[in-house]
Amino acid sequence: MSTAELASSYAALILADDGVEITADKLQTLLKAAKVADVEPIWTSLFAKALEGKDVKDMLSNVGSGGGAAAAGPAAGAGGAGGAAAEEAKEEEKEEEKEESDEDMGFGLFD
């Protein structure tokens, strides 16, 4: 990660911590106040557009909770039909694992 990227990331975190809207102008102002040299405006505009309308604090507090938990929720709430679909998915995964085995093809790692 370059110095410009790192400085823009920290500036965005500072603005988010203060509850200030993250814009390219505010990021540039903060970087100038911190005396970070040679940060091109493209970096601040990229960070501002990427974080536009997003709650950075919420994103940081939910880093470990990816999409896996969300997919399991609807299947559990569907009742009996969801359980059958989950069993079919498990069976398909087992079949795929069997198909990918090198032993079935007649060769191994050290042959």
Side-chain angles (χ1 to χ4, degrees):
M1 186 176 274
S2 71
T3 303
E5 291 175 273
L6 190 60
S8 298
S9 298
Y10 286 144
L13 289 172
I14 290 169
L15 291 174
D17 190 46
D18 288 342
V20 179
E21 182 182 359
I22 300 171
T23 63
D25 293 331
K26 290 178 183 176
L27 288 171
Q28 280 289 350
T29 303
L30 190 57
L31 292 172
K32 285 179 185 177
K35 298 179 185 177
V36 178
D38 300 330
V39 177
E40 296 178 20
I42 187 70
W43 289 113
T44 55
S45 64
L46 282 173
F47 274 86
K49 287 181 183 177
L51 298 173
E52 183 179 3
K54 299 203 173 37
D55 185 12
V56 177
K57 288 182 181 180
D58 186 46
M59 288 171 47
L60 290 173
S61 64
N62 293 323
V63 170
S65 60
E87 289 177 16
E88 289 177 16
K90 287 180 183 177
E91 289 176 12
E92 289 176 11
E93 288 178 14
K94 288 179 184 177
E95 289 176 10
E96 289 177 9
E97 288 176 8
K98 290 179 184 177
E99 291 174 8
E100 294 176 2
S101 176
D102 289 339
E103 294 175 3
D104 292 339
M105 293 180 197
F107 61 91
L109 182 62
F110 298 106
D111 287 344

